[in-house]
Amino acid sequence: MINVELKGGVVNQYDEGISPAEIAKGIGMGLYKSVCAARVDGVVVDLRTPLNGDCKVELLTFDDVDGKKAFWHTASHVLAQAVKRLYPSAKCAIGPAVDNGFYYDFDVEKPFTREDLDKITTEMKKIVKSKIEVEKFELDPDEAVKLLEDMNEPYKVELCKEHSGKGEKISFYKQDDFTDLCAGPHLMDVSAIKAIALTNCTGAYWRGDANNAQLCRVYGVAFPKASMLEEHLTMMEEAKKRDHNKLGRELELFTTVDYIGQGLPIMLPKGARVIQLLQRFVEDEEQKRGWLLTKTPFMAKSDLYKISGHWDHYQDGMFVLGDPEKDDEVYALRPMTCPFQYQAYLNRQRSYRDLPLRYNETSTLFRNEASGEMHGLIRVRQFTISEGHLMCTPEQLEDEFRRCLELAIFMLKTLGLYEDVSYRFSQWDPDDREKYMGTDEQWDEAQSTMKKILDNLEIPYQIGIGEAAFYGPKLDIQIKNVYGKEDTLITIQVDQMLAKQFDMEYVDKDGKKKNPYIIHRTSIGCYERTLALLIEKYAGAFPMWLAPTQVKILPIADRHQDKAFELAKALEAKGIRVEVDERSEKIGYKIREAQVQKIPYMLVIGDKDIESGTVSVRHRKEGDLGAMTLEQFVEMAVKEIETKEIK
């Protein structure tokens, strides 16, 4: 018998080898039919996995993130099964669950049309109605490769061969006439998939590399209830209206040009103004909190990156200038600022009295992201970040980490994004040893130290295995875009390795030289990504303090223009960003145009306003606010700007 702890701390005894599915069935058929996967001692597993020894088991439904992923992963296999039935010559690549559904990549003669997707959807529904069971089996590596070769699935063969060198058995999932190479987990059968929609079809390079074959990627979403699908599709329609890629261009915040390159956006005057406002705000706030500003080069010789470890662990993500095989000196654009700021620390000998030492920089960085990963301002190849590195003693580490987190939370609350984020404790993957520097003992110490800090601060985090930086664990503050795709907005990292790499030392109270702990952090993250999220959050209607143009003055007729420009000068003198719409258009048209441009306030000027010494004030959301004196309006506007009010 084994002791199994279930949700709520209930401990039951079961026979050795019982599966989570059998436990769910024993509790009740309602749970059994809704359960999607299980988490055993923190690891997500297939429902058929036999339990050996005492353990903690969580039964995951569609309401759980990992349960939802198992549901969507199964739906992706139903998609692939339908495609293979309708288009037998199609070759299957990969088909994972993602944050907002699933996709599957296929090598086909020509991309699928909307009509093709409708046919595939109909076939998927037939498969679901047949209530096919999903069966798991395992093969030795050589057998697995042969099976996939016999199936004429070259992409699966390539993936299988990469894993076959580890000597472990390779897992497959089978549903009737369809078999797929897959680690799982999956549903017990396909009948739970009650509602399906194939939402989009795009091109995608195999493994995100433009040098590889271009595949046809089909996106989809599925739910256990039709009403949930309807709600989701309604939400997606709203998301399209808020999509920063669409809205940011319409509002002339940024643009992209094919012959400049992917992931290299051009900030137009309005977008540049928003980023400038954010940057000034961040740098001023950091200065108040004891951070010292540096400015460092955009590039360095490979020697610097070899010391830091980036050359060995991150070179594929860097833009290298020169040929390492031929040239005496090879340079690379910086992917992060840490090794540069360490040189500021090394400028002179340090004492414990100098610590904590906090360096910040508004850093322009360059990362060679894969072509398939580019998305508007969310993921780009050149970006600007509110970066900082803090050197401290072990005794100062927890307090300084807390201060970094407080700064990040202050920024998020000010921007109105705090309620939208979640926390991830990103840890290393000991099974992928080449990805990381340092010893197992160093990683265990760093992660236990960080866990203690996070637990003491009562941070509600999820664990992300394999998401750590190559030199240390980190707290990632995660946020989703309007489509549900999750990205990292802010990071705070604990690093006890790079100080030694760079011979960074301080003389402690006992006269001995020691390596400081380093905290890598951002306070607002990447400015471009933050701008994208703000566009989507506010549908382009930025809070008053961030609006590129805060006030638009609308003269009713040409004879009112002199007064309009007089008012504009008075507002500019108070630091308010203002424009005058001097076009000879009807006032109704001017108001609609200002509304479309998301201008916070409109001041209408006509004969009555000039006679009474007032302005007619309109707000983009609240409408007509009535007549005010200029002094009354300025007082209201300045207060809203200074308090960074969101309305």
Side-chain angles (χ1 to χ4, degrees):
M1 300 293 286
I2 59 172
N3 294 310
V4 177
E5 181 183 338
L6 299 171
K7 190 173 183 180
V10 177
V11 178
N12 290 338
Q13 285 195 325
Y14 296 98
D15 290 331
E16 188 101 8
I18 192 171
S19 69
E22 291 170 314
I23 292 175
K25 187 178 287 187
I27 294 172
M29 286 304 294
L31 176 61
Y32 175 71
K33 289 180 178 179
S34 65
V35 73
C36 301
R39 189 181 291 117
V40 179
D41 291 335
V43 178
V44 180
V45 300
D46 193 272
L47 286 166
R48 298 177 184 81
T49 305
L51 304 178
N52 297 302
D54 296 347
C55 56
K56 181 178 180 179
V57 175
E58 297 172 78
L59 299 172
L60 306 174
T61 68
F62 191 82
D63 293 332
D64 300 291
V65 172
D66 289 320
K68 197 178 268 103
K69 286 187 176 181
F71 189 98
W72 284 338
H73 199 171
T74 304
S76 78
H77 279 217
V78 174
L79 165 60
Q81 184 177 10
V83 168
K84 292 293 284 187
R85 284 185 178 181
L86 296 170
Y87 309 92
S89 64
K91 302 291 183 291
C92 295
I94 58 172
V98 289
D99 292 330
N100 56 347
F102 59 89
Y103 70 80
Y104 212 113
D105 290 344
F106 302 98
D107 191 342
V108 288
E109 291 182 7
K110 58 181 181 178
F112 294 131
T113 63
R114 184 68 251 178
E115 291 74 20
D116 293 327
L117 295 186
D118 291 341
K119 283 171 58 180
I120 296 167
T121 302
T122 300
E123 188 64 29
M124 290 177 72
K125 290 177 180 178
K126 289 180 185 177
I127 293 169
V128 169
K129 284 182 180 178
S130 67
K131 301 181 180 180
I132 298 170
E133 286 195 6
V134 181
E135 304 170 32
K136 180 180 180 180
F137 65 92
E138 295 180 331
L139 295 175
D140 290 327
D142 291 343
E143 294 176 311
V145 170
K146 185 176 186 311
L147 173 63
L148 293 168
E149 288 175 339
D150 291 343
M151 292 167 57
N152 193 22
E153 293 288 0
Y155 299 100
K156 300 292 184 181
V157 170
E158 181 180 327
L159 293 172
C160 189
K161 284 182 176 179
E162 289 179 1
H163 292 282
S164 62
K166 298 179 181 179
E168 301 170 354
K169 284 187 176 289
I170 308 294
S171 64
F172 290 81
Y173 282 83
K174 183 178 186 297
Q175 49 199 53
D176 195 29
D177 57 340
F178 177 74
T179 299
D180 203 354
L181 171 75
C182 187
H186 285 277
L187 304 179
M188 298 288 286
D189 66 63
V190 301
S191 64
I193 304 172
K194 303 296 186 187
I196 301 166
L198 298 183
T199 54
N200 195 16
C201 184
T202 65
Y205 293 109
W206 171 235
R207 313 194 101 166
D209 188 337
N211 296 314
N212 291 335
Q214 187 169 38
L215 306 174
C216 180
R217 176 170 293 179
V218 180
Y219 286 94
V221 69
F223 294 91
K225 294 179 182 178
S227 60
M228 296 171 74
L229 174 59
E230 291 175 12
E231 183 181 333
H232 173 80
L233 294 177
T234 300
M235 184 183 75
M236 287 297 101
E237 284 303 310
E238 177 63 23
K240 288 178 184 177
K241 298 175 187 175
R242 291 174 174 264
D243 186 340
H244 83 276
N245 237 333
K246 174 178 178 291
L247 202 51
R249 296 168 199 274
E250 291 174 354
L251 294 174
E252 297 187 357
L253 294 164
F254 73 95
T255 189
T256 53
V257 180
D258 287 344
Y259 49 78
I260 287 180
Q262 226 181 349
L264 298 171
I266 293 174
M267 288 296 156
L268 299 174
K270 292 179 182 178
R273 175 68 72 191
V274 177
I275 287 181
Q276 181 190 55
L277 292 164
L278 287 170
Q279 181 179 328
R280 288 174 174 173
F281 168 58
V282 169
E283 288 183 352
D284 288 348
E285 186 62 34
E286 288 175 337
Q287 183 174 332
K288 291 177 191 174
R289 297 177 186 237
W291 291 84
L292 305 174
L293 189 66
T294 66
K295 290 191 72 67
T296 57
F298 283 13
M299 67 177 77
K301 293 195 294 185
S302 58
D303 305 51
L304 179 73
Y305 304 117
K306 287 174 182 175
I307 297 171
S308 67
H310 289 94
W311 201 252
D312 293 329
H313 297 279
Y314 202 81
Q315 190 178 153
D316 288 345
M318 297 167 66
F319 288 102
V320 177
L321 310 177
D323 187 341
E325 301 296 325
K326 297 179 182 178
D327 299 333
D328 293 335
E329 284 190 350
V330 175
Y331 286 75
L333 299 177
R334 63 182 183 187
M336 56 274 294
T337 313
C338 45
F340 295 84
Q341 287 195 322
Y342 297 161
Q343 307 310 309
Y345 181 93
L346 290 165
N347 186 52
R348 63 176 175 83
Q349 184 173 310
R350 303 291 175 179
S351 158
Y352 71 92
R353 295 184 181 88
D354 297 318
L355 305 183
L357 186 56
R358 310 178 188 96
Y359 290 135
N360 68 307
E361 183 163 338
T362 303
S363 307
T364 299
L365 304 181
F366 307 85
R367 294 184 186 173
N368 191 9
E369 301 280 5
S371 299
E373 296 297 319
M374 299 296 106
H375 176 59
L377 300 179
I378 294 283
R379 193 169 291 275
V380 291
R381 286 175 170 156
Q382 176 183 312
F383 56 94
T384 308
I385 194 167
S386 58
E387 202 166 11
H389 298 90
L390 184 154
M391 283 60 69
C392 65
T393 68
E395 297 78 21
Q396 296 167 335
L397 182 65
E398 182 169 347
D399 188 51
E400 290 302 319
F401 191 99
R402 176 182 56 78
R403 289 171 184 265
C404 291
L405 182 58
E406 286 174 348
L407 173 59
I409 290 173
F410 171 77
M411 293 293 173
L412 290 168
K413 287 184 174 179
T414 303
L415 295 176
L417 297 174
Y418 181 67
E419 298 302 323
D420 302 330
V421 303
S422 60
Y423 297 93
R424 184 180 70 195
F425 179 10
S426 294
Q427 303 180 0
W428 79 317
D429 181 358
D431 294 329
D432 190 7
R433 201 64 189 78
E434 293 183 2
K435 185 178 175 182
Y436 307 96
M437 66 188 304
T439 65
D440 292 10
E441 291 75 21
Q442 285 176 310
W443 276 96
D444 290 343
E445 181 184 347
Q447 290 189 170
S448 62
T449 299
M450 190 163 179
K451 182 180 187 304
K452 176 176 174 289
I453 292 172
L454 295 178
D455 290 345
N456 286 347
L457 295 175
E458 298 182 347
I459 299 299
Y461 59 81
Q462 298 289 324
I463 292 175
I465 301 297
E467 299 293 338
F470 69 82
Y471 48 78
K474 53 182 178 157
L475 176 67
D476 288 324
I477 302 180
Q478 303 290 103
I479 193 166
K480 293 181 179 180
N481 67 13
V482 287
Y483 294 106
K485 171 74 169 62
E486 185 173 271
D487 282 293
T488 301
L489 181 59
I490 294 172
T491 63
I492 307 173
Q493 306 171 22
V494 172
D495 170 16
Q496 63 176 26
M497 299 189 197
L498 290 183
K500 188 173 183 180
Q501 291 285 110
F502 279 91
D503 294 325
M504 296 167 66
E505 297 177 330
Y506 67 94
V507 179
D508 207 353
K509 295 176 183 177
D510 57 9
K512 294 181 180 179
K513 289 186 177 181
K514 298 176 182 177
N515 300 121
Y517 267 90
I518 300 174
I519 297 175
H520 306 237
R521 69 100 187 109
T522 58
S523 55
I524 204 174
C526 164
Y527 285 98
E528 290 81 358
R529 182 173 292 178
T530 300
L531 175 58
L533 293 163
L534 290 172
I535 293 170
E536 295 183 350
K537 173 77 174 181
Y538 297 109
F542 297 111
M544 175 76 158
W545 72 280
L546 277 179
T549 301
Q550 295 167 319
V551 177
K552 196 101 168 194
I553 300 178
L554 311 177
I556 292 176
D558 290 347
R559 64 180 179 276
H560 306 128
Q561 286 193 16
D562 288 346
K563 185 63 177 180
F565 282 104
E566 180 186 323
L567 292 173
K569 286 184 179 179
L571 291 173
E572 286 171 350
K574 297 294 183 179
I576 296 172
R577 296 183 291 279
V578 59
E579 293 179 0
V580 175
D581 188 342
E582 56 184 312
R583 296 174 298 171
S584 297
E585 299 284 357
K586 292 181 179 179
I587 192 64
Y589 178 82
K590 290 183 179 183
I591 290 172
R592 285 193 298 275
E593 282 281 290
Q595 288 280 162
V596 169
Q597 293 171 16
K598 317 286 186 178
I599 309 295
Y601 287 97
M602 291 147 272
L603 303 186
V604 180
I605 304 296
D607 291 335
K608 289 183 180 179
D609 302 290
I610 294 174
E611 289 172 12
S612 62
T614 60
V615 290
S616 296
V617 182
R618 292 186 64 87
H619 186 264
R620 64 187 169 197
K621 292 180 182 177
E622 298 171 11
D624 186 3
L625 300 183
M628 299 183 191
T629 64
L630 183 64
E631 291 74 18
Q632 288 173 324
F633 173 74
V634 167
E635 182 181 358
M636 178 183 71
V638 169
K639 181 181 178 183
E640 187 175 336
I641 294 167
E642 289 180 346
T643 59
K644 297 182 171 56
E645 183 181 352
I646 296 171
K647 71 175 192 177

